[in-house]
Amino acid sequence: MKNLKQMAKPMVAMLVVSSMLAGCAAPGGPGATGNTTTAGTEAASGECNTAMLAGIGAVVGGLLGGGNNTVRGAALGASLGALACVALNYQSQQVKTSQQVQADYKVANKGKLPEQSTLVKYETGFTPSSVRPGQKAQTNSYIEVAAGTRDPNPLVEEELSLYKPNGELIKTVRKVVSSNNGSGAYKGGFSIPMPEGVPQGIYPVRTALYLNSKRVGGQDVKLQIVQRQAPASELQLALAY
C-alpha cells in the first residue's frame, strides 16, 4: 500500500502538469501563438497565465526533488513543454533615420539608391549568452534597411524560432520591427522568460529577417541554460527530451 501511495503522488502531479500544458497548447487558448502585425508583446490571447507557469514550476520542482529516472525525465519534459507557453516580448528602437541610411548607402554604391528596399545589415545574439531557470534571456539585434526608390515604406519583420536541446522546435514568433516605416536602422530584440524547472543545456535559436514578407537574412545562435550543481543524470535526461 505504501508503494502505491508513493507511485500515485508523482502520477497525480504529472497529470496536473499535463492538464496545465494542454490549456496552454489549446487553439485560441493561453498558449496560442502566431505572426503578429504590431511590435511589442504577443497578443493577450497568446500569453500564458503567470500563475499557471508558476504552478508548473512548483510541480516540476517537486518531481525533480525525488522519484526515479522515469518520473524525473517526465518532469523535465513537462518543464520544456512550459516553454511553448511563455509569451515572447519584442521591443525595437530606431537609431538611424531612413534618410541617414540612404545617404550611407549612396556613399557605398556610387551615389545610387536601390529600386526596391534592401537589407544593408542584420546581426543578432544573446546578452548574456547563458541564463538560469527563472531568468529572462534577451536577444539583441541590429537591423539596417535602405528604402528603395519604388518602395519607400517597406514592411520589416524579425522572427525567432526556439528549439529544444535535441533540435525539436518549441515555438516560432514573428514581430514587426516598426509599425510606421521599416527603413532606417533599428536596435531590437526578443525577451524570453525561462520557466523554473527548465533543464540545463544548449538551446538552439534561429532568427530571420523578412522584408516585405520575403526572408532576406538570418542567423543561428545558441542559448545556454545553466543550473547550480545539476546532477549529471539530470543533464542526460534533459538532452534526451
Side-chain angles (χ1 to χ4, degrees):
M1 182 66 69
K2 184 177 180 180
N3 289 337
L4 287 175
K5 288 182 178 180
Q6 290 176 340
M7 293 174 61
K9 186 176 180 180
M11 289 177 64
V12 170
M14 287 309 303
L15 286 173
V16 172
V17 171
S18 298
S19 177
M20 289 177 173
L21 292 177
C24 281
T33 61
N35 294 351
T36 59
T37 55
T38 57
T41 308
E42 288 179 44
S45 62
E47 294 182 5
C48 284
N49 184 284
T50 303
M52 182 183 294
L53 284 177
I56 291 174
V59 174
V60 170
L63 291 174
L64 289 177
N68 57 34
N69 283 351
T70 300
V71 172
R72 289 167 60 81
L76 289 168
S79 63
L80 281 171
L83 268 177
C85 193
V86 300
L88 305 186
N89 294 344
Y90 185 80
Q91 292 183 335
S92 63
Q93 178 183 7
Q94 189 169 19
V95 293
K96 281 187 182 180
T97 65
S98 179
Q99 292 75 16
Q100 288 174 317
V101 172
Q102 282 185 316
D104 293 342
Y105 187 93
K106 289 172 70 175
V107 170
N109 292 273
K110 300 180 180 180
K112 294 183 179 180
L113 290 173
E115 291 188 358
Q116 299 297 322
S117 293
T118 302
L119 176 64
V120 177
K121 190 174 183 179
Y122 176 56
E123 294 178 343
T124 190
F126 279 103
T127 305
S129 60
S130 64
V131 297
R132 300 184 187 281
Q135 296 180 336
K136 289 184 179 181
Q138 178 70 48
T139 64
N140 292 280
S141 301
Y142 179 80
I143 303 162
E144 189 168 322
V145 174
T149 55
R150 297 185 179 181
D151 179 26
N153 298 301
L155 172 64
V156 182
E157 301 167 288
E158 187 173 15
E159 182 179 88
L160 181 143
S161 297
L162 176 64
Y163 296 83
K164 296 180 182 180
N166 67 358
E168 181 182 343
L169 178 66
I170 297 175
K171 70 184 303 181
T172 296
V173 176
R174 192 188 300 184
K175 300 291 186 178
V176 175
V177 173
S178 173
S179 58
N180 297 321
N181 183 351
S183 63
Y186 294 84
K187 287 185 178 180
F190 291 89
S191 177
I192 309 171
M194 305 305 296
E196 294 288 352
V198 171
Q200 66 180 11
I202 304 297
Y203 290 71
V205 173
R206 179 167 295 172
T207 65
L209 198 74
Y210 288 81
L211 188 54
N212 294 326
S213 301
K214 180 180 179 181
R215 189 179 188 275
V216 292
Q219 284 188 232
D220 292 337
V221 293
K222 294 179 179 179
L223 173 64
Q224 184 175 22
I225 305 301
V226 295
Q227 293 180 341
R228 293 185 181 90
Q229 299 177 343
S233 59
E234 184 173 313
L235 175 58
Q236 292 172 358
L237 285 168
L239 295 177
Y241 273 81

